[in-house]
């Protein structure tokens, strides 16, 4: 096959263009720190990168969900802890009121404090987080207690799903209940407080009947006494604590997943600088050699050609 001058020129220019392309790609990698700057550079790396970024986006969303879950659980625990502390004070007041030596004025003072504690517990039942009532089941837009004619509050009669749980997804396919339906618990406590108040306001009721409200082994428990209510509060707090521990474990798991996916994304896309620099230097040397050899092979003028 006859090799002409135009063939030499064409081959040299084509090879030089390829060399420029390789150096341009390596320069882009060194500048951006990534193996690819567009999906067409390496579709496999691009598709894997999309998957890793999708996983990181899910991790970010689950992290936000866990912040919400912790907010609900912490608030529920703190609220029930307040109610538990109030139950201790109610016990002290009932023990004091059960003493037969109290005057009507003494009983009236105790009654007033009991009524204030009852209102405080109702306010706790209406605890609101970012516009959501945490003890109203799935009726998060409605308070647990609503005002009634003549003063005071009662359980909201419009709560249709007050015993339902509010679930939040905290991992792939894993949901956790973040609320504590409080309708039954707060209603029972509210009724018990009302009964104690009525006993204190009735002069015909003696200390023994008030003592029965204490509950426990030594009294005739009626399942609506102070001991029973306090135990129910502690049971609810124990349940919240278990869910808090579960969220904490899932947070650790999510943190490990984030670290692993971030490493996979880095290994998939990040350029190996030592390797890229070595290839860049090698390609520059080859390119310069090609330019030098090409200048000698290809004659630049007719005089050089016929000499």
């Amino acid at each position: 096959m006859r090799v002409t001058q135009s063939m030499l020129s064409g081959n040299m220019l084509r090879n030089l263009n390829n060399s420029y392309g390789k150096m341009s790609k390596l320069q882009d990698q060194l500048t951006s720190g990534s193996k690819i700057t567009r999906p067409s550079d390496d579709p496999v790396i691009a598709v894997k990168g999309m998957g890793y970024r999708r996983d990181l986006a899910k991790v970010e969303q689950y992290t936000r969900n866990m912040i919400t879950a912790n907010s609900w659980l912490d608030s529920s625990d703190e609220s029930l802890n307040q109610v538990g502390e109030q139950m201790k004070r109610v016990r002290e007041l009932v023990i004091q009121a059960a003493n037969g030596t109290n005057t009507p004025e003494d009983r009236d003072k105790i009654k007033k404090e009991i009524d204030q504690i009852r209102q405080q517990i109702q306010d706790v039942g209406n605890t609101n987080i970012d516009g959501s009532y945490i003890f109203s089941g799935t009726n998060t837009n409605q308070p647990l207690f609503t005002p009634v004619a003549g003063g005071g509050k009662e359980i909201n009669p419009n709560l249709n799903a007050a015993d339902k749980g509010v679930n939040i997804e905290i991992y792939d396919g894993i949901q956790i209940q973040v609320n504590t339906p409080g309708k039954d618990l707060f209603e029972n406590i509210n009724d018990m407080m009302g009964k104690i108040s009525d006993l204190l306001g009735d002069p015909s009721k003696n200390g023994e009947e008030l003592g029965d409200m204490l509950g426990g082994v030594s009294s005739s428990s009626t399942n609506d006494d102070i001991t029973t209510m306090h135990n129910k509060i502690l049971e609810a707090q124990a349940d919240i604590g278990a869910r808090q521990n579960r969220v904490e474990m899932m947070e650790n798991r999510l943190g490990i997943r984030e670290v692993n996916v971030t490493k996979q994304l880095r290994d998939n896309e990040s350029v190996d600088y030592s390797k890229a620099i070595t290839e860049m230097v090698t390609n520059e040397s080859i390119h310069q050699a090609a330019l030098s050899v090409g200048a000698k092979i290809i004659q630049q003028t007719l005089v050089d050609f016929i000499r």
Side-chain angles (χ1 to χ4, degrees):
M1 182 182 69
R2 179 171 176 269
V3 179
T4 64
Q5 187 71 23
S6 63
M7 292 175 63
L8 289 174
S9 300
N11 287 336
M12 187 190 75
L13 291 175
R14 184 169 54 256
N15 291 331
L16 287 175
N17 283 332
N18 291 336
S19 180
Y20 274 125
K22 291 179 181 178
M23 288 192 296
S24 176
K25 183 176 181 180
L26 289 169
Q27 189 176 35
D28 288 342
Q29 290 180 357
L30 292 171
T31 302
S32 65
S34 176
K35 294 177 183 177
I36 61 174
T37 56
R38 59 184 67 85
S40 59
D41 291 341
D42 194 321
V44 175
I45 291 179
V47 170
K48 286 184 177 180
M50 291 172 60
Y52 294 140
R53 286 182 174 83
R54 184 169 55 251
D55 285 347
L56 288 176
K58 291 169 67 176
V59 168
E60 184 178 352
Q61 180 60 56
Y62 292 146
T63 300
R64 289 195 294 267
N65 289 353
M66 286 189 182
I67 292 174
T68 301
N70 279 321
S71 177
W72 278 62
L73 292 171
D74 291 346
S75 297
S76 299
D77 185 43
E78 177 58 30
S79 297
L80 291 179
N81 186 61
Q82 293 179 29
V83 176
E85 292 300 317
Q86 295 298 332
M87 285 294 100
K88 294 178 183 178
R89 179 56 182 164
V90 170
R91 178 183 295 277
E92 294 174 359
L93 292 172
V94 170
I95 291 174
Q96 180 182 344
N99 189 332
T101 62
N102 287 304
T103 65
E105 289 76 14
D106 293 333
R107 287 169 64 104
D108 184 62
K109 291 177 182 178
I110 295 174
K111 180 181 184 305
K112 287 180 178 178
E113 185 170 353
I114 288 291
D115 290 340
Q116 289 299 316
I117 294 175
R118 185 185 185 188
Q119 292 178 28
Q120 174 62 22
I121 292 175
Q122 291 172 351
D123 292 339
V124 172
N126 284 346
T127 299
N128 186 296
I129 299 178
D130 295 330
S132 298
Y133 293 96
I134 63 176
F135 291 116
S136 297
T138 55
N139 303 119
T140 56
N141 61 333
Q142 298 188 45
L144 186 61
F145 287 95
T146 55
V148 295
K153 294 180 180 178
E154 66 175 9
I155 290 291
N156 188 344
N158 298 321
L159 297 180
N160 299 320
D163 60 339
K164 301 297 182 181
V166 175
N167 298 321
I168 292 181
E169 188 173 11
I170 58 175
Y171 205 79
D172 293 337
I174 298 177
Q175 294 187 347
I176 190 166
Q177 182 176 327
V178 298
N179 73 324
T180 299
K183 180 178 181 294
D184 291 341
L185 176 61
F186 278 91
E187 186 173 26
N188 291 335
I189 293 174
N190 187 62
D191 291 344
M192 180 197 71
M193 296 292 290
K195 185 175 181 180
I196 294 174
S197 180
D198 291 341
L199 288 173
L200 289 168
D202 188 348
S204 65
K205 303 299 182 181
N206 56 35
E208 182 178 352
E209 291 174 285
L210 281 167
D212 287 340
M213 296 303 300
L214 292 172
V217 178
S218 60
S219 65
S220 56
S221 176
T222 59
N223 292 325
D224 61 352
D225 53 70
I226 297 172
T227 298
T228 300
M229 292 298 104
H230 201 182
N231 288 338
K232 288 182 178 180
I233 292 170
L234 293 176
E235 289 173 4
Q237 285 187 279
D239 179 62
I240 292 173
R243 282 180 279 151
Q244 287 175 318
N245 291 337
R246 176 77 184 283
V247 171
E248 183 177 352
M249 289 188 290
M250 294 307 299
E251 283 179 334
N252 294 335
R253 183 178 176 185
L254 199 61
I256 294 173
R257 178 178 177 180
E258 182 178 15
V259 171
N260 290 337
V261 174
T262 301
K263 181 179 182 298
Q264 290 172 335
L265 177 62
R266 183 179 64 248
D267 293 342
N268 181 62
E269 293 186 358
S270 296
V271 67
D272 184 342
Y273 277 97
S274 59
K275 179 180 178 181
I277 291 173
T278 300
E279 290 182 359
M280 184 70 174
V281 172
T282 301
N283 277 276
E284 285 180 342
S285 299
I286 294 173
H287 185 73
Q288 292 298 327
L291 288 174
S292 177
V293 172
K296 294 179 180 179
I297 293 177
I298 299 176
Q299 306 300 320
Q300 299 183 9
T301 67
L302 180 62
V303 174
D304 291 332
F305 180 74
I306 63 178
R307 186 170 52 193

